[in-house]
Amino acid sequence: PYTQLPNWSRTLLNNYLATLNCTYGTSYLTQIRNACSRFFLFLEFADISQPSEITHDIVKSFFIKDIHSSSKVKDRYNNEISHCLMYMADQGLI
């Protein structure tokens, strides 16, 4: 999903991941990138073109519609996306 992201979300995701480099290993960063990329692609399909357009309803809709092989995997992805959303909020983007 990462390769399909538009420039704005890829840049934002890269900036977020850069803040995590010191803490996490490469394989875990890949998992975080994949989780967040799924969310950003969902935004793209919802015609969201900048972070300020992300609403609570959009996030809620994603969390309801995003399907995974198990609840454990879904919880892990949701957790990673939540951290990315908190980063965006801390940056004043949402």
Side-chain angles (χ1 to χ4, degrees), residues 35-83:
C36 295
S37 293
R38 285 173 66 122
F39 175 67
F40 284 121
L41 277 180
F42 178 84
L43 296 177
E44 178 73 8
F45 294 133
D47 292 327
I48 303 296
S49 60
Q50 57 186 339
S52 64
E53 297 174 348
I54 300 171
T55 65
H56 176 69
D57 287 338
I58 294 285
V59 174
K60 181 180 174 183
S61 177
F62 172 79
F63 284 145
I64 290 169
K65 293 177 181 178
D66 192 41
I67 298 171
H68 292 271
S69 58
S70 72
S71 60
K72 183 177 179 179
V73 173
K74 183 170 178 55
D75 289 345
R76 186 173 63 233
Y77 270 61
N78 288 353
N79 185 49
E80 300 307 339
I81 294 163
S82 295
H83 286 281

